[in-house]
């Protein structure tokens, strides 16, 4: 009979349930071998009428737990079965605070799955449940970020109007910004920075700010946007201004411009702002190197998936599996593409090497070298893009592409070249002025002695 009851719960067969109850009125009190009650199964699968029939006869089953310490409310919340949740809550609202074997409440599970309607009902029943943590020390907002539940995050932040709520930390001391940066959740990061009073420079248990976490994390295409958002919100590294010596409250309330005003007063810190750009340059160079490597390994048009059965004049296959389609169809463009992409890749690696080797950024010549290399990187990437687009564009549209894309890119490269020329002229003029002052220091003592001797005569 337990097997028949299990099948009835799986199918939501209310008629079979009534038949079994006529045969054995205590059948609902028996445990199915899996540890789930029929109500667990109905709640998980969304069989509303079946669940209502069970609750009308055995309402205490709403508070029963399976082997994972999950109640029917846990399962229905995770699956987003709103009607079943509405029937379970009035019977036993305290189950909202019940924790499963991972320490998670029904509210946690609904937030992790972005079940907005269910989340609303649970918050109405037990709003205090949103402050509970799981066994890993994660709050419900941490779980939203871990599971990319953006809508749930927004609902919870707007529902709990408490600054402390968005500044809670997990067991590793990570606040929401730390975790959003780790998970590369750009949209959530912008929401937290723009719409909440989250502490931008809060330190975790290892003494890192969110900006530290970004600069130490694996590179990603979203890194530049994340970095821009953090810097716009006045994010700092822990070593900037001895953040490790201050409390989180002091850091969050410290004006960002205070260090800049001090640097203006101290001539020795005139170029400190340039040093702060070292990490930004490292991120940009890493991203461009990654792009060049990826495009080099998989060129535009892709790779041949099999070897040609047709032979050329020398008896070799016309193309081989794993080789570039572009090199077979358009060898000249492929050679140009390969040169431009290789130049951008090596130039990006050169920037990384210079920055790692401790290039003195406070010297104008060092900045000029970095600017020249970056100009080479950008120009090469632009040409690589132009060749790639030309390769994958149909021949009947290639003329239009040449006018629209070609001239735009060439104009842009010309502007970058003009910028490079202007900065080069400025550098040369500065060097000439220094050389002139050097010559003057050498000639002046000699001319002074000559004048004195002439006057004595």
């Amino acid at each position: 009979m337990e097997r028949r009851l299990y099948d009835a719960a799986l199918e939501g067969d209310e008629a079979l349930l009534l038949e079994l109850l006529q045969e054995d009125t205590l059948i609902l009190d028996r445990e199915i071998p899996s540890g789930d009650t029929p109500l667990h199964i109905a709640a998980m699968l969304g069989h509303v009428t079946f669940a209502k029939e069970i609750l009308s006869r055995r309402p205490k089953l709403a508070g029963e737990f399976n082997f994972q310490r999950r109640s029917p409310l846990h399962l229905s919340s995770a699956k987003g079965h709103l009607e079943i949740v509405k029937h379970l809550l009035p019977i036993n609202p305290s189950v909202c605070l019940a924790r499963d074997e991972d320490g998670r409440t029904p509210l946690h599970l609904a937030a992790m799955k972005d079940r907005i309607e269910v989340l609303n009902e649970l918050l109405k029943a037990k709003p205090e449940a949103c402050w509970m943590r799981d066994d890993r020390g994660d709050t419900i907002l941490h779980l939203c970020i871990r599971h990319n539940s953006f809508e749930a995050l927004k609902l919870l932040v707007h529902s709990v109007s408490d600054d402390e709520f968005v500044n809670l930390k997990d067991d590793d001391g990570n606040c929401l910004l730390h975790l959003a940066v780790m998970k590369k959740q750009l949209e959530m990061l912008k929401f937290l920075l723009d719409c909440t009073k989250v502490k931008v420079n809060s330190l975790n248990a290892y003494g890192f700010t969110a900006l530290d976490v970004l600069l130490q994390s694996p590179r990603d295409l979203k890194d530049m946007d994340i970095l821009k958002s953090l810097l716009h919100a006045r994010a700092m590294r822990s070593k900037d201004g001895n953040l490790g010596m201050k409390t989180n409250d002091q850091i969050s309330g410290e004006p960002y411009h205070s260090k800049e005003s001090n640097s203006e007063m101290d001539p020795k810190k005139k170029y400190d702002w340039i040093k702060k750009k070292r990490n930004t340059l490292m991120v940009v160079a890493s991203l461009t190197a990654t792009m060049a490597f990826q495009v080099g390994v998989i060129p535009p048009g892709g790779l041949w998936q099999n070897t040609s059965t047709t032979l050329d004049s020398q008896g070799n296959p016309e193309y081989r599996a794993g080789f570039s389609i572009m090199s077979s169809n358009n060898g000249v463009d492929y050679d140009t593409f390969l040169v431009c992409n290789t130049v951008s890749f090596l130039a990006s690696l050169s920037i990384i090497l210079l920055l790692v080797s401790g290039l003195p950024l406070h010297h104008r010549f060092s900045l000029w070298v970095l600017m020249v290399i970056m100009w080479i990187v950008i120009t090469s990437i632009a040409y690589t893009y132009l060749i790639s687009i030309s390769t994958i564009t149909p021949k009947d549209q290639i003329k239009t592409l040449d006018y629209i894309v070609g001239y735009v890119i060439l104009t842009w490269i010309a502007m970058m070249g003009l910028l490079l020329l202007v900065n080069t002229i400025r550098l040369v003029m500065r060097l000439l002025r220094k050389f002139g002052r050097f010559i003057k220091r050498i000639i002046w003592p000699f001319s002074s002695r000559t004048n004195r001797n002439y006057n004595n005569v």
Side-chain angles (χ1 to χ4, degrees), residues 414-430:
M415 292 175 61
M416 294 298 101
L418 180 62
L419 179 62
L420 175 64
L421 179 62
V422 170
N423 281 276
T424 303
I425 293 174
R426 290 176 59 190
L427 177 66
V428 171
M429 293 180 63
R430 183 179 178 83

Side-chain angles (χ1 to χ4, degrees), residues 81-96:
H81 299 311
L82 180 61
E83 291 301 318
I84 296 181
V85 170
K86 288 182 176 180
H87 284 91
L88 289 170
L89 280 175
I91 297 174
N92 194 349
S94 63
V95 180
C96 280

